[in-house]
Amino acid sequence: MRIDSHQHFWKYNPVKDAWITDDMKVLQRNFLPVDLWPLLQLNNVDGCVAVQAEQSENETDFLLQLAGENDWIKGVVGWVNLSAVNLEERLQHFSQYEKLKGFRHIVQAEPANDFLLSADFCKGIAQLSKYNFTYDILVFPRQLKYVPAFVAQFPLQDFVIDHLAKPDFINADFEEWGNAMKAVAAYPNVHCKVSGMVTEANWNTWTIEDFSYCLDVVTEAFGIDRLLFGSDWPVCLLAASYQETCNVVHRYFMQFSMEEQGKLWGKNAVDFYHL
């Protein structure tokens, strides 16, 4: 089974979706299952994991509704206020939904680089494993150096790094990122999504070779058993079509055995998210 472990849906609203600026006009419209399913079929992808793009419980409910209407949406990574005093009650509520696999917070937008280490947030993360919820780590390289100390506190929690932690492909400035990524990978409960690369490169002039070094780093650090393919559709459309996004990953991993490729393209996502 081939699984896209990372994509988004939204009904575009210029206020709610203010992060979609005017240089991202291609994203200023609705993106719904009817738009994605033909792309999955064309690229031999059997299902997907829908990931939150807005920080509200309404977003979680919206994605769960779509997943309930479409069997091929295999899982949802939603949002809940992990720092809230009533978090336990909210987790109990959400645990009734079989397709809700985990949560994400948009840490990359937090002004404090060490946000992940804040006491209330960590108190919330500590409650996730009791309900078998995963956590997606979305950070920029400047925040990545705090991730080892963060994940070290939770050896029983399943984590996945989104988008290789967004290395700077434009300036090819990888030293600090690479050192931090290797430190994160030392924790066996942390996985990494091979996703979101084209939008961190030059949108108009990127080449597949731009990504080789960073793919070398994460493949060596995490190993093929802890890497998950993700398209980051529709955000990827800023720089590439769905098929082009798949092709970047295919071209790099075609050197691996069919069994190893099967892990990257689906099995690892099925295992990580319990799809």
Side-chain angles (χ1 to χ4, degrees), residues 83-126:
S83 301
V85 293
N86 68 334
L87 176 63
E88 179 85 25
E89 181 264 318
R90 300 316 297 150
L91 294 179
Q92 287 177 358
H93 164 74
F94 283 121
S95 66
Q96 69 183 291
Y97 298 99
E98 185 180 348
K99 283 194 174 182
L100 185 58
K101 303 304 182 180
F103 295 99
R104 183 175 82 154
H105 184 81
I106 302 177
V107 175
Q108 67 174 34
E110 294 290 344
N113 286 345
D114 62 349
F115 172 87
L116 283 172
L117 300 179
S118 55
D120 287 345
F121 189 77
C122 288
K123 189 176 175 183
I125 293 288

Side-chain angles (χ1 to χ4, degrees), residues 63-71 73 99:
L63 295 178
L64 285 171
Q65 179 183 346
L66 296 181
E69 296 167 352
N70 299 273
D71 288 345
I73 302 175
K99 283 194 174 182

